[in-house]
Amino acid sequence: MCARSSFRERSHPWGPGLAPCALSGPASGARGQLSPGSGGDRGCNSMTLEAIRYSRGSLQILDQLLLPQQSRYEAVGSVRQAWEAIRAMKVRGAPAIALVGCLSLAVELQAGAGGPGLAALVAFVCDALSFLVTARPTAVNMARAARDLADLAAQEAEREGATEEAVRERENSHCKGPGVGLHASENHAANQWAALPICPFASHPPGGLGPTGVIRSLHSLGRLEYAFCTETRPYNQGARLTAFEFVYEQIPATLIADSMAAAAMAHYGVSAVVVGADRVVANGDTANKVGTYQLAIAAKHHGIPFYVAAPSSSCDLHLKTGREIIIEERPGQELTHVNGVRIAAPGIGVWNPAFDVTPHDLITGGIITELGVFAPEELRAALGATVALDGPQK
Ligand SMILES: CSC[C@H]1O[C@H](OP(=O)(O)O)[C@H](O)[C@@H]1O
């Protein structure tokens, strides 16, 4: 809460009534009038697609590899299945990865896994959590959740009269995270801004976190004119997932190729750029989907405020600068093939980092969390040690 009290109301360059010029004709040149999609024909459905469905002993994930063509839920009954789903990016997005990882452990524990005996149960919990962290190293959320759950299991097992049941129950109840979306719109009297969310959560993540949460909240308050979303090569989270969600929720939005972002800023009066985060470190440097860094450079050039929207659980103050963040590299096939069809010359080399790091000085709008909106230099004081992971990046 103290973080919130230290929050300063930020003045924004786009005050009430400032509509992106594209709505009243292009800023310059022969660009046509932009007509952002008004959303699909899903009637008045205001439901947000749920990425994760959980009830005691049962976990299902929306297989995001099948979106937007299919909305199919897949049961996850074990830690191993969760690891495989996370690695394959059936479920993706930093907090959602942590949630699915933790819930898969809860499902196994409710089925009686681990034990017999408290020591064996705690060892099982710790081994499972360490394994889950290896699925994708850049996002901090799974590592943090693993640390917290392992600590909880050990604490519970050491209590007077501890029982296996008590350990299982405590693990089961520790799997929720605060939302950020509504907070951002409350604290950002943003009026009619077009934004470029890059690779936010597909469908309903835990608590409505991330850039889509911000966009969704502003839209629900009638303060969003339209949004651009970038396709987010090579995995196309933007074209496949973000666009799907905007259409599903009838949020007016326009899909652009990643290479078009700077031109969109130049010609369609983008008021703000909001992106997610996999790991925000002590000085505010932020790892996010590859392409974020160049969005920030373009936003700086155009004087457009650049925001990172992420829960405090995505912040890791133990790392001092972005140079310490491990960047996951993924299979080259994600770049050379689309839906299994080769599009690149056989034999060409491929570099496929899943993330890049945006230096804190390019995060000019602030870091939007559920605890408040902070300038990068305010982060450490605002979030304190609560979000520092012990030891090197796990
Ligand atoms: C807002 S979710 C956090 C972050 O995770 C995504 O990466 P991936 O799709 O590889 O899991 C993307 O970078 C999001 O911004």
Side-chain angles (χ1 to χ4, degrees):
M1 191 55 77
C2 65
R4 187 190 288 269
S5 62
S6 64
F7 162 61
R8 280 182 293 106
E9 270 299 344
R10 294 175 140 21
S11 61
H12 292 286
W14 69 94
L18 173 64
C21 59
L23 296 181
S24 52
S28 63
R31 272 116 194 115
Q33 176 81 17
L34 187 69
S35 54
S38 57
D41 55 356
R42 289 182 173 275
C44 58
N45 188 330
S46 59
M47 282 289 290
T48 301
L49 277 176
E50 287 175 286
I52 300 163
R53 285 179 176 165
Y54 175 73
S55 57
R56 192 179 178 82
S58 166
L59 170 62
Q60 292 192 315
I61 60 168
L62 179 65
D63 182 344
Q64 297 182 24
L65 293 178
L66 302 179
L67 290 175
Q69 291 83 359
Q70 291 180 61
S71 302
R72 194 168 74 196
Y73 286 89
E74 175 177 306
V76 173
S78 68
V79 164
R80 160 64 67 178
Q81 284 178 337
W83 188 96
E84 287 166 355
I86 291 166
R87 184 69 196 156
M89 293 178 68
K90 288 183 177 180
V91 61
R92 28 93 20 230
I97 288 169
L99 193 58
V100 167
C102 296
L103 291 174
S104 72
L105 175 59
V107 167
E108 280 215 49
L109 290 173
Q110 285 138 28
L118 285 170
L121 178 55
V122 172
F124 169 80
V125 166
C126 293
D127 290 348
L129 292 166
S130 300
F131 175 60
L132 286 162
V133 172
T134 64
R136 300 190 69 196
T138 303
V140 67
N141 310 62
M142 186 66 239
R144 162 165 294 106
R147 177 200 66 182
D148 293 350
L149 281 169
D151 290 350
L152 277 176
Q155 285 167 19
E156 190 58 40
E158 286 160 9
R159 285 156 65 99
E160 190 71 30
T163 65
E164 282 191 40
E165 188 50 35
V167 172
R168 295 175 196 280
E169 272 315 304
R170 189 135 185 229
E171 293 297 288
N172 181 48
S173 63
H174 185 82
C175 278
K176 298 281 180 279
V180 71
L182 183 57
H183 173 87
S185 52
E186 279 171 358
N187 287 286
H188 276 249
N191 212 339
Q192 299 160 337
W193 60 343
L196 286 165
I198 178 167
C199 196
F201 291 99
S203 67
H204 188 34
L209 307 175
T212 312
V214 172
I215 300 288
R216 182 187 300 120
S217 300
L218 289 170
H219 181 248
S220 66
L221 292 166
R223 295 184 176 175
L224 177 80
E225 199 124 1
Y226 60 85
F228 289 101
C229 60
T230 52
E231 65 178 341
T232 321
R233 282 284 290 152
Y235 224 70
N236 301 313
Q237 290 93 323
R240 292 189 304 107
L241 308 178
T242 311
F244 180 80
E245 183 168 20
F246 281 159
V247 168
Y248 192 87
E249 295 198 25
Q250 299 186 309
I251 294 174
T254 298
L255 176 65
I256 58 175
D258 303 316
S259 52
M260 300 171 189
M265 293 180 198
H267 300 297
Y268 287 112
V270 171
S271 312
V273 177
V274 58
V275 300
D278 291 83
R279 197 182 288 245
V280 185
V281 297
N283 72 348
D285 291 352
T286 295
N288 192 51
K289 185 49 49 195
V290 63
T292 302
Y293 176 35
Q294 61 191 26
L295 266 186
I297 293 168
K300 179 93 173 188
H301 173 74
H302 290 94
I304 299 170
F306 186 90
Y307 294 88
V308 170
S312 58
S313 58
S314 295
C315 299
D316 172 12
L317 303 190
H318 177 80
L319 301 185
K320 295 182 176 57
T321 74
R323 284 192 298 276
E324 299 174 65
I325 300 174
I326 296 171
I327 299 297
E328 171 193 2
E329 297 213 7
R330 293 191 61 85
Q333 183 147 352
E334 290 176 0
L335 216 61
T336 57
H337 291 66
V338 174
N339 293 337
V341 177
R342 173 175 283 278
I343 58 167
I348 188 66
V350 175
W351 179 49
N352 184 17
F355 305 99
D356 58 24
V357 176
T358 298
H360 60 276
D361 59 305
L362 294 180
I363 304 174
T364 53
I367 299 167
I368 303 170
T369 77
E370 77 285 7
L371 302 176
V373 182
F374 307 105
E377 63 272 16
E378 296 172 330
L379 202 64
R380 183 192 289 274
L383 299 188
T386 56
V387 292
L389 272 183
D390 306 327
Q393 181 175 348
K394 298 180 173 67

